Amino acid sequence: MTVHEHPHRSSGFRPLSSRGDRTTPASGDTASALADTHTARARAFASLRLLTGFVFLWAFLDKAFGLGYATPSGSGWVDGGSPTGGFLSGVAVGPMESTFHDWAGAAWADWMFMLGLLGVGIAVMAGVALRPAALAGTAMMALMWIAEWPPAQHLSDGTPSMSTNPFVDYHVIYAVALIALAVAGAGATWGLGRVWARLPVVRDHAWLR
């Protein structure tokens, strides 16, 4: 009896051990794959956040100091130039054409525009206040989209508008990127999002995240 029981006992335990050996690595591999995917996604959003934030921050720096790109040297805000004067006075199409002409060069318009660029740029690059930044940035992009009015095939004087797409241009892309970053909570990776979220005022007011 003893001789016959040992093989039976052995054959009962070995398959269980074998199944366990196969299951554990599989679960570990799945968890590792999920972790790698999460990390890759977080880094992708972080990269998008840094690049998008730099677009706004660079626009502020160029218009403020006249770095010689979109704003000629000596024509910066610090030199007495108007960040909104040239762009808004040049609006030549759209339902708000005359309104933008009235706003062009106004001190309040310059301040709001520049503070918006600076605030959105710093917040997005730092990974903090992404929801307010997305709201402010989307409002700015919407106004600039209206100023350029891509749906028009011709300007007010009848010349071709040279619009490349009647609906989606870079203003729309930037706005969608800002909203996506805010929804994804993209400030935690390569940013100060976690520190910001732990502040008492932010914990009490989720819209500040």
Side-chain angles (χ1 to χ4, degrees):
M1 290 293 296
T2 304
V3 174
H4 292 289
E5 286 176 357
H6 285 301
H8 177 73
R9 211 176 284 129
S10 175
S11 63
F13 280 106
R14 285 181 182 173
L16 290 175
S17 175
S18 177
R19 284 196 298 270
D21 291 341
R22 287 196 301 269
T23 303
T24 301
S27 300
D29 290 345
T30 301
S32 177
L34 290 174
D36 290 344
T37 300
H38 177 77
T39 300
R41 185 185 298 116
R43 289 177 178 174
F45 272 111
S47 299
L48 177 63
R49 193 195 82 238
L50 292 171
L51 292 172
T52 303
F54 186 69
V55 168
F56 284 84
L57 187 58
W58 175 263
F60 168 82
L61 294 172
D62 183 63
K63 293 180 184 301
F65 302 106
L67 300 181
Y69 290 88
T71 306
S73 179
S75 299
W77 197 25
V78 297
D79 300 309
S82 171
T84 64
F87 176 70
L88 294 182
S89 63
V91 173
V93 68
M96 294 182 63
E97 180 179 352
S98 60
T99 301
F100 286 135
H101 289 171
D102 293 337
W103 291 358
W108 67 268
D110 289 343
W111 276 96
M112 288 191 67
F113 181 58
M114 294 298 281
L115 289 177
L117 289 176
L118 179 62
V120 172
I122 291 178
V124 174
M125 290 199 72
V128 302
L130 292 181
R131 294 179 184 180
L135 179 62
T138 298
M140 293 175 64
M141 293 299 101
L143 287 171
M144 294 176 74
W145 185 89
I146 295 172
E148 295 193 6
W149 200 245
Q153 292 181 321
H154 297 87
L155 303 179
S156 298
D157 61 3
T159 59
S161 67
M162 305 303 291
S163 174
T164 58
N165 189 307
F167 303 109
V168 180
D169 69 351
Y170 64 97
H171 298 108
V172 176
I173 301 300
Y174 288 150
V176 172
L178 289 171
I179 294 170
L181 292 171
V183 171
T189 301
W190 300 342
L192 303 175
R194 287 192 177 91
V195 176
W196 177 260
R198 288 197 294 266
L199 296 177
V201 65
V202 178
R203 287 202 307 265
D204 295 339
H205 301 85
W207 66 270
L208 291 173
R209 293 189 177 184

